[in-house]
Amino acid sequence: MIIPTLQFVSILITAIGMAGSWAHLLALANKMKLPREEYLIAQKIYRGWSLLGVAAVIALVSTAALAVLQREEGAAFYFAVAASVCIALGLVTFFAVTFPANKATKNWTVLPTHWESLRQRWEYSHAAGAILYFLALASLCVSVFSSECAMC
């Protein structure tokens, strides 16, 4: 019963994480056109979104645990590993690119002189995260469909 539960939790929580990333991706083209003050105002809508970090950690832990439990299941294992790697890379991208931009702008309450380069890094890192979460979710779905325990 643990594998089906982990499959469900992993897919659900990865989808929640992907939703935030896709919101960023879908807004990217419009936000890149905003002038300085309008961009700063638009960034205020993301206050509290740091809670999605909890979803990212749960997604990583549950998906990695699923991979470990499916290590004898061939394709299901490899796709669960791929999903774990994509989620981990999403976290690496956040902490290597997005988080430093958040720090440099004090969570987008202050815009330094080089704010446009920070905006590009911030926006495109979220786009990369959206793609990584999509790949993770797709890999998880394939893992579940190829699992011997899919109907347990």
Side-chain angles (χ1 to χ4, degrees):
M1 187 64 178
I2 188 122
I3 288 177
T5 301
L6 275 174
Q7 289 170 327
F8 176 77
V9 168
S10 295
I11 287 175
L12 184 65
I13 206 76
T14 299
I16 290 168
M18 187 181 83
S21 296
W22 276 89
H24 286 297
L25 180 62
L26 294 173
L28 186 144
N30 291 322
K31 286 180 61 191
M32 291 300 284
K33 297 174 190 173
L34 293 175
R36 178 184 180 97
E37 292 308 315
E38 289 180 27
Y39 188 78
L40 194 59
I41 291 168
Q43 287 298 91
K44 290 179 182 182
I45 65 171
Y46 300 117
R47 290 192 181 137
W49 280 40
S50 59
L51 292 174
L52 286 173
V54 174
V57 171
I58 294 170
L60 180 60
V61 169
S62 65
T63 304
L66 180 62
V68 168
L69 292 175
Q70 291 182 319
R71 64 187 173 276
E72 303 295 324
E73 289 192 42
F77 165 74
Y78 291 111
F79 280 105
V81 168
S84 298
V85 168
C86 288
I87 295 166
L89 287 173
L91 285 167
V92 167
T93 300
F94 176 82
F95 284 109
V97 183
T98 312
F99 186 70
N102 286 344
K103 283 182 65 175
T105 60
K106 295 182 170 66
N107 287 318
W108 298 97
T109 59
V110 174
L111 292 181
T113 56
H114 65 293
W115 76 276
E116 283 132 334
S117 66
L118 291 170
R119 170 173 64 180
Q120 282 187 336
R121 290 175 50 201
W122 194 89
E123 293 290 347
Y124 291 124
S125 67
H126 280 297
I131 292 165
L132 287 165
Y133 266 93
F134 175 78
L135 293 172
L137 186 59
S139 295
L140 274 170
C141 289
V142 174
S143 175
V144 169
F145 294 141
S146 63
S147 174
E148 294 174 15
C149 289
M151 302 305 277
C152 296

